[in-house]
């Protein structure tokens, strides 16, 4: 790395040309899944009013408390770089009266999110997510399973093997407060032995006690009252429904009572997707029955899931997932002399229009340098266009492997090249 050169911001990465085939493939597969299940694309701004997130994600959620990138602007607006995709979509749903569109409304998105986290393996500050959302007046479990299916299928089509969905229900406004009380009572008796974070969580965000990763708190977690035993009958029925659909779909799942997820807006189903041999989650989501209402809309349930594209691409690279994108064969265009150079661009244009991809280095004067560049590019054919060819309206096709050369009239160039490339 060059010294004293301005660097990219911490935890935010350049996606260099060598990475692009992975990003292209990931996007294509997510888009294919979205299209085949009828999710419509939505894009919201990278910057949102802080009000979209602060209350909905929860004042005591990690994201709101520590990870928001606040944007300084000339006005008085309180703006942030979006940390996630669901709350902005709920904001857009209300703002654009999307409840008047046929429901369920199935939406998907793709783009960068920003979280001020400590960068480490699998954790960056500019992360990319693809997400699926289903918003509908009915909070039917079939929608939860369709969102999970879209996430699962995306991973499957990217050849990420042995994916399991870890799933839980965190109840609703009726049953969760009772459970929360029980949990606080249980943890109060252990308070002095808990980690600093958990001591605070008892007061501000008790559910998060269940996903503490600190060693000292693990023994208390396993004997903590179980959420599952405290669900009301509606939540239990809903959860059973989701699991039955997953079974019908043959999606492997694991009940995990400790998944609570970081945002306040979740209710009932919460889930995360894991692949064998990968320690962090590749995706996660859940139901958010109260989110639209808490942003000022009419009570409208929804369910969504987001895939962590940066992590997925890391897995694709580590597992040598074949990209399967057939690179088109290129042809190298070489000119000799000023007259030929002047006439080069229209010839290149006509080949591009015929669907042939052209490499060139028109800034290089010497034939030797251009031939060397053609060699390095590994193209099967080079086109050599010199003074005589310019007069005769012809061009030389050179087979780079054998060195054999053939002169063809310019009007027949595209057809001759296509025939040669097809062989
Ligand atoms: P969340 O929005 O927190 O539910 O995250 C959904 C998915 O995004 C996770 O399962 C991860 O795969 C990915 N993700 C979340 N935070 C980060 C991060 N800081 N860096 C990379 N990926 C992340």
């Amino acid at each position: 790395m060059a010294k004293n050169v301005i660097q990219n911001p911490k935890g935010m990465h350049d996606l260099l040309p060598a990475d692009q085939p992975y990003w292209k493939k990931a996007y294509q597969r997510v888009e294919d899944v979205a299209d085949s299940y009828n999710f419509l694309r939505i894009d919201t701004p990278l910057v949102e009013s802080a009000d979209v997130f602060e209350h909905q994600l929860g004042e005591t959620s990690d994201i709101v408390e520590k990870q928001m990138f606040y944007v300084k602007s000339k006005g008085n607006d309180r703006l942030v770089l979006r940390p996630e995709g669901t709350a902005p979509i709920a904001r857009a749903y209300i703002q654009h009266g999307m409840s008047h569109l046929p429901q369920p409304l199935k939406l998907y998105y793709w783009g960068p999110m920003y979280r001020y986290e400590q960068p480490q393996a699998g954790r960056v500050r500019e992360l990319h997510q693809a997400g699926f959302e289903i918003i509908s007046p009915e909070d039917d479990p079939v929608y939860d399973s369709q969102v999970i299916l879209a996430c699962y299928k995306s991973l499957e089509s990217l050849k990420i093997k042995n994916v399991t969905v870890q799933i839980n229900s965190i109840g609703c406004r009726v049953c969760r407060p009772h459970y929360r009380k029980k949990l606080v009572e249980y943890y109060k008796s252990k308070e002095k032995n808990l980690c600093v974070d958990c001591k605070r969580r008892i007061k501000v965000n008790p559910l998060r006690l269940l996903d503490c990763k600190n060693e000292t708190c693990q023994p208390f977690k396993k004997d903590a009252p179980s959420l599952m035993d405290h669900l009301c009958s509606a939540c239990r029925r809903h959860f059973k429904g989701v699991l039955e659909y997953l079974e019908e779909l043959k999606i492997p799942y694991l009940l995990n009572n400790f998944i609570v997820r970081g945002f306040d807006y979740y209710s009932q189903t919460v889930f995360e997707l894991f692949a064998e041999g990968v320690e962090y989650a590749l995706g996660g989501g859940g139901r958010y029955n109260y989110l639209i209402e808490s942003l000022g809309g009419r009570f409208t349930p929804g369910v969504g899931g987001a895939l962590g594209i940066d992590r997925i691409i890391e897995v694709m690279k580590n597992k040598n997932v074949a990209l399967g994108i057939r690179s088109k064969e290129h042809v190298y265009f070489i000119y000799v002399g000023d007259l030929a150079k002047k006439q080069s661009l229209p010839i290149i244009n006509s080949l591009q229009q015929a669907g042939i991809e052209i490499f060139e280095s028109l800034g290089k004067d010497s034939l030797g340098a251009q031939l060397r560049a053609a060699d390095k590019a590994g193209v099967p054919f080079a086109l050599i266009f010199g003074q005589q060819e310019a007069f005769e309206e012809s061009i030389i096709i050179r087979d780079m492997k054998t060195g054999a050369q053939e002169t063809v009239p310019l009007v027949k160039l595209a057809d001759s090249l296509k025939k040669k490339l097809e062989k």
Side-chain angles (χ1 to χ4, degrees), residues 115 117 122-124 127 129 261 263 281-284 306-308 311:
R115 297 181 188 176
E117 300 204 67
R123 211 165 276 286
V124 287
L127 56 135
Q129 289 185 336
R261 318 251 321 129
F263 311 149
L282 298 182
L307 294 168
R311 292 182 181 182

